Amino acid sequence: MITYSWIIAVIPLLAFVLLLAFGNRMKERAAWIGVTALGLAFLMALKVLAEVLAGAQAAASFEWLKIGSYTIDMGFQVGALEASMMVVVTAVSLMVQLYSMGYMHGDPRFNRYYMTVNLFTTGMLGVVIADNFLLFLMSWEIMGLCSYLLISHYYEDLNNAKAGMKAFLTTRVGDVGMMAGIWLLFSQAGSFNFADIAVWVENASGSENIITLAALLLFAGAVGKSAQVPLHVWLPDAMAGPTPASALIHAATMVAAGVYLVAKSYFIFQASPDAMFVVAVIGALTAFLAATIATVQVDLKKVLAYSTVSQLGFMMLGLGVGGYTAALFHLITHAFFKALLFLGAGSVIHAVHTQNMHEMGGLFKKMKITGTTFIIGSLALAGIPPFAGFYSKDMILLEAYRYNEVLFWIGAAAAFMTAYYMTRAIILTFFGKPRDMEKYEHAHESPLNMSIPLMFLAIPATLLGYGMYRDYFVKSFITLPGLTHAYHSDFVMNMAISVAVAGIVVGFIVYGTNWVSKTAAIRNLKPLYVLLKHKYYFDELYNGVVVKGTVGISRLVGWFDKWIVDGLVNFVGWSTGQLSRLTRTFDTIVVDGAVNGTAALTMAAGNQVRKLQTGVVQSYMLVLFAGVVIGLIIFQLIGG
Amino acid sequence: MIFDVLIPEIVLTVVALGLLLAAAWQKEGQSGSYLGYLGIVGLLGALVALWPAIGISGEVFDGMLVADELTMFFKALLIVVGILVFLMSIEFVEKNHIPAGEYYALLLFGIVGGMIMVASADLLAFYVGLELLAIASYALTGMLRNDHKSQEAVLKYFLNGALASAIILFGISLFYGLTGTTSIQGLADAFKVGVNGTDSLVMAALVFLMAGFGFKIAAVPFHLWAADTYEGAPTPITAFLSVVSKGAAFVVMMRIFFVGLESLTVNWSAAFAVLAVITMTVGNLAALWQKNIKRMLAYSSIAHAGYIMVGFAAATADGLTGMTYYILAYALTNMGLFAIIVAMSNAGLGEDIDGYKGLSRKNALYAWMMVVFFLSLIGIPPTGGFLGKFLLFKASIGANLVWLALAMAINSAISVGYYYGVVKTMFLNEEEEEEPQKLPTTANIGLVVWITGAMVLVLGILPSFFIELSSQVAKILP
């Protein structure tokens, strides 16, 4: 089976083609194509994982093209990391597609939604199994396109369409860096293949600077895709898309691809301590900043979005401090519990038709399954044992502690806030008195095809952490040769539990009791509150500098073409006019009236012609000629 | 030997003359579509007639024309592009009451001109081909005789084009004066044996030649005519100009610069590097601002000329291969794109980007294919454009021009802005009405779109065969 694991990546593509051909005619039954395909893919991925657990590995490639003496191969490789990721991706995609049958019911673009989700799944699986940067990049771009289409799914609202553009353009900024990094590596190593590049890195003594540069350029792509500071601005806006799509793309899989990119090219980062340090700092910063912003969001999905940004920061932090295993462990557990949280949020939104938590409250009574599973997901996210997130987050903090204590404390502070904002979200949504009675009255538990995926996802959110952590299984399974692990520290573990519990307690005191006046708190902390509400002013900054700047430059070029060029011509025309006026004065004095008349007539005719031709043709020729003259001057100076 | 090599040109010329004769018998108001189909048959015949010349290499007409891998590749491409232009023209000509006989005959003459250009081994032969193509192009640009824009376009194109031809001719005569020959190989030999390559007159001749070519390929600062001309010309002719005129000029440049002026490589490669960056940047920035799709594509094609020039800047065999592949991918992509624009204009939806609102629901094939073509123009995998850019990247890095590769990357990121503007319009700004008027796919345009779409993907996914062909082209190098 494992030698054919590339088929798993092709299955969703087949589903996409089938949906393209028959989807519209099948109406909403089209969903079954996707669900069946992903079910099959999931089973195959499980089989592959079982074989990997038994010690198997696979890789295969074929010659894709030959340029002169170069050959470029395309291929896949499956080891422990890839097999685990395939299970995660297919499982989440399957659950999301099942769930969407209920959530997307009645949507006018039902089929398009399923097509995009399936195409996306192919892209993500391609990223997972690629054995070279080229296939990786291609799949990466497919994901970007699908993400764009899904974010702007409800394009009737222009804001959603804009969010899609923002996501696409912001990630593209990172992608330019990443492409440059890939070309740089290719120019040095002569190959796109991970293994070949690893060999080059190993033997490249004396080119540390190039390795650092390449690592940082690749990291730029990861920063964009995984929404790290300073390119994190697109992910919260991406919540405009359908909630199950957010669960799949903007929580569990695609946004984790940036982390996966760093993990896949870890050999490059390992060779450059400077790059590792940058990764760790950016990760810690992101984890902290995003967590603080999440504490003041009123939109349930935005809370989860900033939480995702923050957790991705944790993973980057883990990678940066050398905790390869810890970061990927967290990636896997996070995929499950964050997908669970998003689908739970979707279930709530489906019931009350609002995302504003201030219009919710008391929903637990009406939505027991959603409420219970959401709380399980939150406990996992907050890092309370024995839920999944505890083990992976603890491991990251442990590695951070070993690397640098400051980073550890930043991480711990972020973990505290994580527990706090999730408690806040749960209390605002599910407990207390209903704040909007009309919405509350209409609320009801979601249909089975939505609640079953929630229950399924609650299982790994509860058990997977301990399951993988037991006997340090994960440390010997997802690892690299030569990697050292931090094993255990009572201090770190107690700290991790304490901050999580403290976060929950503080959250409960603020939102679950009347002990603290919220208006008074906001009044007293006004500057901080405003800063967080404005998300540290990142959007304003970008709008002011980058967007306006580009528009300005392009306006300038247009303006140049239009005015300077024309102006030049007009100037020539004007000076000719002056000259001829001078001549005319001369004529008037010297020559008699007949000649005078002729001159005037010529002038008039000349003016008419000038108006008729608008001056543009001549101006084009003038520029052409100016080009020749400038070229002549330059070549004479330099070439001669 | 002569006939083996020249049969395609002879076939096309005979068919073109036949079309003119047939048009004379044409009655008022009678459909001229059959003339277009006859032309297609002629082009298919020419394509078949290329067959005997495969593998033959050598010179004909006392070294005026040459047959080698470069000429074969581009003659075939020119004929294929010709077929595509014919297919997308048929309805357009009918709808706009363009005199069919002249139109199709001129197109064929233009293609023959292009074929002579790519086969020329002598500056004079090249000039004859250039003028044949250019004069046919002028006439074709003005074919919409009652359209003010078309008339403006032809005037600007003609006046500027004539000036550019004069500049090229002046450059050629300077070279003749310096070396006593107009043969491209002869130039190379002359520079080897005695003509001082750094003479200031040589530099002047080089500048004139580059400026003239700069006009033909619409490189900044010789690009100003392009936007007006592309916008005003009949849309299939815009496609023709952006691919045939530009492509043929690039091919001749390959031979003249890489072979004839090889000893001046240091000078022209540096100049091309600068021109390339300026051209791609100005083209992309100006395109951001356009509301008319043909104008937008005019600036986009300027930017693409900038990318292609990277091959000259690299001045290596890799650069040559990269340019060849890039031109191939660009030609097919642009053909597909313009076919859809022709279909839109046939349906009366105009040329403004606003007119593309909700195209995804009116005709999903066109909308999705446009996405594919745009991906190719941006250089995103898995399309031919990506591989073209990749090859040029590789060439520029191989020539230690990392900054040039970086400029390309940044520019391709900028270009996302305007291409995605159109995608957004097609997919997102749908009209209010529940069921918009469907836009049926017509047979001819549909054929063009399917062929080019498939080819663009093949060039991106299974490129080995075409890469092999493109690297054969590098055999012209001394």
Side-chain angles (χ1 to χ4, degrees), chain B residues 140-383:
Chain B
L140 285 166
T141 304
M143 271 289 172
L144 294 171
R145 280 173 203 160
N146 296 321
D147 183 44
H148 164 74
K149 266 188 180 172
S150 172
Q151 296 311 307
E152 184 189 330
V154 67
L155 190 70
K156 285 177 180 163
Y157 188 29
F158 173 67
L159 289 174
N160 284 283
L163 179 62
S165 292
I167 290 174
I168 290 185
L169 207 52
F170 194 53
I172 291 177
S173 46
L174 280 178
F175 273 120
Y176 180 69
L178 285 159
T179 61
T181 176
T182 54
S183 147
I184 292 174
Q185 188 56 49
L187 277 182
D189 298 339
F191 280 116
K192 275 198 196 94
V193 289
V195 177
N196 180 4
T198 54
D199 193 284
S200 64
L201 214 51
V202 175
M203 289 302 128
L206 192 59
V207 169
F208 279 108
L209 214 52
M210 285 183 70
F213 277 118
F215 170 86
K216 294 291 170 194
I217 60 173
V220 177
F222 315 108
H223 68 292
L224 289 160
W225 60 277
D228 291 337
T229 304
Y230 280 26
E231 185 188 351
T235 310
I237 298 309
T238 309
F240 181 80
L241 293 179
S242 78
V243 170
V244 174
S245 307
K246 194 173 270 204
F250 266 118
V251 178
V252 178
M253 285 163 72
M254 290 179 193
R255 205 186 289 280
I256 294 182
F257 287 100
F258 277 88
V259 179
L261 304 177
E262 192 229 341
S263 41
L264 306 180
T265 305
V266 185
N267 305 84
W268 55 255
S269 65
F272 274 120
V274 175
L275 277 184
V277 173
I278 298 175
T279 303
M280 62 178 89
T281 312
V282 170
N284 277 323
L285 286 177
L288 282 174
W289 219 232
Q290 303 306 325
K291 294 193 171 59
N292 176 299
I293 196 155
K294 279 163 78 179
R295 248 186 128 72
M296 186 196 98
L297 286 176
Y299 282 108
S300 139
S301 95
I302 290 170
H304 283 278
Y307 299 141
I308 297 172
M309 277 192 280
V310 169
F312 284 105
T316 54
D318 276 355
L320 206 53
T321 308
M323 283 193 283
T324 307
Y325 199 83
Y326 201 99
I327 291 172
L328 173 67
Y330 167 78
L332 292 168
T333 309
N334 247 22
M335 280 297 139
L337 212 47
F338 274 106
I340 295 171
I341 297 174
V342 170
M344 295 293 284
S345 125
N346 284 347
L349 290 167
E351 291 163 2
D352 281 339
I353 294 173
D354 277 348
Y356 287 70
K357 267 184 189 163
L359 182 61
S360 67
R361 283 171 80 189
K362 290 177 189 159
N363 189 322
L365 172 72
Y366 289 169
W368 280 100
M369 282 300 193
M370 271 186 104
V371 173
V372 171
F373 296 137
F374 282 149
L375 289 179
S376 175
L377 288 183
I378 300 170
I380 290 178
T383 55

Side-chain angles (χ1 to χ4, degrees), chain A residues 185-235:
Chain A
L185 286 171
F186 179 79
S187 70
Q188 298 297 321
S191 168
F192 289 111
N193 209 291
F194 294 134
D196 295 343
I197 296 175
V199 170
W200 172 76
V201 169
E202 219 166 278
N203 300 324
S205 53
S207 36
E208 281 77 14
N209 288 336
I210 293 182
I211 293 178
T212 303
L213 180 64
L216 291 178
L217 287 170
L218 288 179
F219 184 56
V223 166
K225 210 64 152 186
S226 285
Q228 300 291 293
V229 171
L231 296 181
H232 64 287
V233 290
W234 67 270
L235 185 56

Side-chain angles (χ1 to χ4, degrees), chain A residues 16 20 62-68 70 72 109 112 115 134 137-138 141-142 145 148-149 152-153 155-156 158 161-162 165 168-169 172 176 179-180 183-184 186-187 192 550-551 553-555 557-558 561 565 613-614 616-617 619-629 631-632 635-636 638-640, chain B residues 155-156 159-160 163-164 167 198 200-201 203-204 206-208 210-211 215 221-225 228 267 271 282 285-286 288-289 299 321 361 368 371 375 378-382 386-387 390-391 393-394 397 406 409-410 412-413 416-417 420-421 423-424 427-430 460-464 467-468 471:
Chain A
F16 168 78
L20 184 67
F62 65 95
E63 185 188 306
W64 184 55
L65 61 89
K66 204 171 149 70
I67 316 161
Y70 278 115
I72 294 177
R109 289 176 293 276
R112 190 180 118 165
M115 273 165 59
L134 215 54
L137 182 67
M138 288 185 185
E141 295 295 348
I142 290 176
L145 179 70
Y148 163 73
L149 288 172
S152 38
H153 184 84
Y155 49 67
E156 284 83 358
L158 193 64
K162 276 190 185 150
M165 284 295 271
F168 193 86
L169 294 177
R172 197 72 203 155
V176 170
M179 278 195 188
W183 299 129
L184 181 63
F186 179 79
S187 70
F192 289 111
T550 318
V551 170
I553 292 172
S554 98
R555 252 194 210 146
V557 172
D561 259 17
V565 172
Q613 295 188 353
T614 68
V616 178
V617 182
S619 65
Y620 292 177
M621 292 169 123
L622 190 74
V623 173
L624 207 165
F625 230 89
V628 176
V629 173
L632 279 174
F635 265 80
Q636 295 306 342
I638 299 170
Chain B
L155 190 70
K156 285 177 180 163
L159 289 174
N160 284 283
L163 179 62
I167 290 174
T198 54
S200 64
L201 214 51
M203 289 302 128
L206 192 59
V207 169
F208 279 108
M210 285 183 70
F215 170 86
F222 315 108
H223 68 292
L224 289 160
W225 60 277
D228 291 337
N267 305 84
V282 170
L285 286 177
L288 282 174
W289 219 232
Y299 282 108
T321 308
R361 283 171 80 189
W368 280 100
V371 173
L375 289 179
I378 300 170
I380 290 178
F386 165 72
L387 218 66
F390 160 66
L391 294 173
F393 262 118
K394 181 168 167 284
I397 287 173
L406 212 63
I410 292 170
S412 104
V416 174
Y420 264 82
V423 173
K424 197 179 75 177
F427 281 87
L428 304 180
N429 300 341
E430 300 191 2
I461 298 169
L462 299 167
S464 3
I467 297 249
E468 181 57 35
S471 42

Side-chain angles (χ1 to χ4, degrees), chain A residues 243-257:
Chain A
T243 308
S246 308
L248 174 64
I249 297 183
H250 305 120
T253 54
M254 184 187 83
V255 288

Side-chain angles (χ1 to χ4, degrees), chain A residues 63-95:
Chain A
E63 185 188 306
W64 184 55
L65 61 89
K66 204 171 149 70
I67 316 161
S69 56
Y70 278 115
T71 53
I72 294 177
D73 292 338
M74 276 278 163
F76 75 96
Q77 60 183 41
V78 175
L81 175 60
E82 291 80 10
S84 319
M85 285 296 290
M86 279 206 286
V87 172
V88 172
V89 173
T90 50
V92 176
S93 179
L94 173 63
M95 287 303 139

